[in-house]
């Protein structure tokens, strides 16, 4: 590993530990030439993932798009930031564990909706109304009825 200060490649690891989210290894290093210390992170390389949109266009996977949709659905709801991050992490784990190079956006949407059902009923219905593009009020009420029945069980 090259030193970011003197660009020499005489560095060594002096401490290793899991990162806060346990998805990477945090390594403290020291340069044997200039003596400066720096931190690096080692993370498993994931397969580049392409999302197939409804119109068959393809675009690179972008976590922030899922985050934006979930945050919008959870706006002014009693859902913590940690719960939202956990939900998104679970969805990402499901997506990447499929080991596919392409995934339809509809599959991602269904994964998010299934996780949102357990998180908050109102946020779930908000997300579903945008994702499923309800054409009329009856379709919306059907989805709402399902959410209420699930909550009673």
């Amino acid at each position: 590993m090259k030193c970011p200060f003197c660009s020499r490649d005489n560095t060594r690891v002096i401490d290793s530990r899991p990162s806060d989210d346990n998805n990477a290894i945090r390594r403290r290093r020291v340069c044997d030439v200039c003596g400066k210390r720096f931190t690096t992170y080692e993370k498993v390389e994931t397969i580049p993932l392409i999302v197939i949109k409804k119109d068959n266009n393809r675009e690179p996977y972008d976590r922030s798009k899922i985050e934006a949709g979930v945050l919008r659905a959870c706006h002014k709801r009693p859902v913590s930031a940690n719960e939202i991050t956990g939900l998104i992490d679970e969805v990402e784990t499901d997506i990447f564990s499929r080991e596919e190079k392409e995934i339809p956006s509809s599959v991602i949407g269904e994964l998010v909706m299934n996780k949102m059902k357990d998180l908050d009923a109102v946020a779930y219905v908000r997300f579903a109304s945008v994702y499923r593009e309800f054409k009329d009020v009856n379709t919306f009420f059907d989805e709402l009825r399902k959410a209420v029945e699930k909550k009673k069980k």
Side-chain angles (χ1 to χ4, degrees):
M1 174 67 60
K2 261 188 177 179
C3 173
F5 303 103
C6 69
S7 298
R8 295 293 208 18
D9 59 1
N10 301 20
T11 64
R12 60 188 161 87
V13 175
I14 55 174
D15 182 39
S16 286
R17 63 180 65 172
S19 64
D20 293 335
D21 61 3
N22 277 333
N23 287 328
I25 301 291
R26 179 184 180 273
R27 300 197 192 281
R28 284 296 288 162
R29 296 177 177 270
V30 65
C31 177
D32 291 332
V33 177
C34 70
K36 300 246 179 153
R37 294 178 177 211
F38 59 98
T39 303
T40 60
Y41 291 89
E42 181 179 317
K43 192 172 184 174
V44 173
E45 188 175 18
T46 56
I47 302 166
L49 186 64
I50 301 297
V51 177
I52 304 168
K53 307 297 279 180
K54 288 178 188 175
D55 62 0
N56 280 332
N57 280 338
R58 285 163 167 70
E59 63 183 51
Y61 169 78
D62 184 359
R63 177 187 171 103
S64 66
K65 289 190 174 190
I66 296 173
E67 281 177 337
V70 172
L71 285 170
R72 221 172 297 124
C74 293
H75 183 68
K76 293 189 178 182
R77 297 298 307 151
V79 180
S80 72
N82 286 341
E83 289 174 308
I84 291 170
T85 301
L87 180 143
I88 296 166
D89 288 344
E90 288 175 24
V91 169
E92 268 195 341
T93 300
D94 289 352
I95 291 169
F96 286 108
S97 67
R98 294 167 182 258
E99 296 181 9
E100 296 173 1
K101 292 183 179 178
E102 294 185 334
I103 186 167
S105 61
S106 59
V107 171
I108 296 173
E110 290 297 326
L111 287 169
V112 173
M113 280 187 22
N114 289 336
K115 304 281 184 198
M116 299 253 335
K117 281 181 189 176
D118 300 329
L119 187 67
D120 184 85
V122 172
Y124 163 74
V125 172
R126 286 177 178 172
F127 188 88
S129 68
V130 173
Y131 171 71
R132 291 229 169 106
E133 298 175 343
F134 295 147
K135 302 294 184 228
D136 57 29
V137 176
N138 292 331
T139 315
F140 180 79
F141 279 129
D142 289 342
E143 197 66 39
L144 189 58
R145 213 173 283 114
K146 288 178 198 171
V148 169
E149 287 171 7
K150 184 188 183 306
K151 194 75 169 172
K152 286 181 183 178
K153 292 180 183 179

